[in-house]
Amino acid sequence: EAIDVDCLSAQLCAEEEQRLAAVEEGKLERARADRLAKQVTSLDQGLKRATNALEKSKSEGKRHLTVQKQLLEAHKKELSTVNASLRQEQSDVAKLKSQLVLEMAAKE
C-alpha cells in the first residue's frame, strides 16, 4: 500500500498548525485572565479604600454627634439654671410688690 507523502505532510502540517493555534489561544486566555485578575485586584483595593473612608467618616460623624449631644446637655443645664434664677426673681418681685401694697395701705 503506497503512502501518500503529500497527504501525510499536509495532515502533519495541519495538526501542527492546530497545536500552535491552541498554544496561542492558551497564551491569549492567560493574558486575559491576568488582565482580569489585575482589574479585580484594583477594584478590591478601591473598595477597601472606600470602605475605610466610610468607616472614618462614620467614626467622625459619631464623634461629632457626641460633641453636639454634650453641648446640648450643657445648654439644657444652663437654661435650667437661668429658669430657676428667673423664677426666684419673679418670686422676689411678687414679695416686694405685696410688701409695697401693704405699706401703701398702712400709710392710707
Side-chain angles (χ1 to χ4, degrees), residues 34-85:
D34 288 345
R35 281 195 304 275
L36 288 174
K38 287 178 184 176
Q39 287 176 340
V40 167
T41 300
S42 177
L43 289 171
D44 187 51
Q45 290 171 350
L47 181 60
K48 285 178 183 175
R49 283 192 300 273
T51 300
N52 288 341
L54 182 61
E55 288 298 321
K56 183 179 178 184
S57 177
K58 182 179 170 184
S59 176
E60 289 173 357
K62 282 183 180 179
R63 256 193 311 267
H64 178 73
L65 285 176
T66 299
V67 168
Q68 292 300 314
K69 186 176 178 182
Q70 290 169 346
L71 287 172
L72 182 61
E73 289 299 320
H75 288 309
K76 282 169 73 175
K77 286 179 184 177
E78 186 178 341
L79 282 173
S80 178
T81 302
V82 168
N83 281 338
S85 179

Side-chain angles (χ1 to χ4, degrees), residues 8-22:
L8 186 57
S9 177
Q11 187 177 1
L12 288 174
C13 283
E15 288 175 4
E16 182 64 14
E17 284 177 9
Q18 287 177 347
R19 189 186 71 73
L20 289 174

Side-chain angles (χ1 to χ4, degrees), residues 81-96:
T81 302
V82 168
N83 281 338
S85 179
L86 283 173
R87 280 193 293 276
Q88 184 61 47
E89 286 182 25
Q90 286 175 336
S91 175
D92 292 347
V93 166
K95 287 177 188 174
L96 287 173

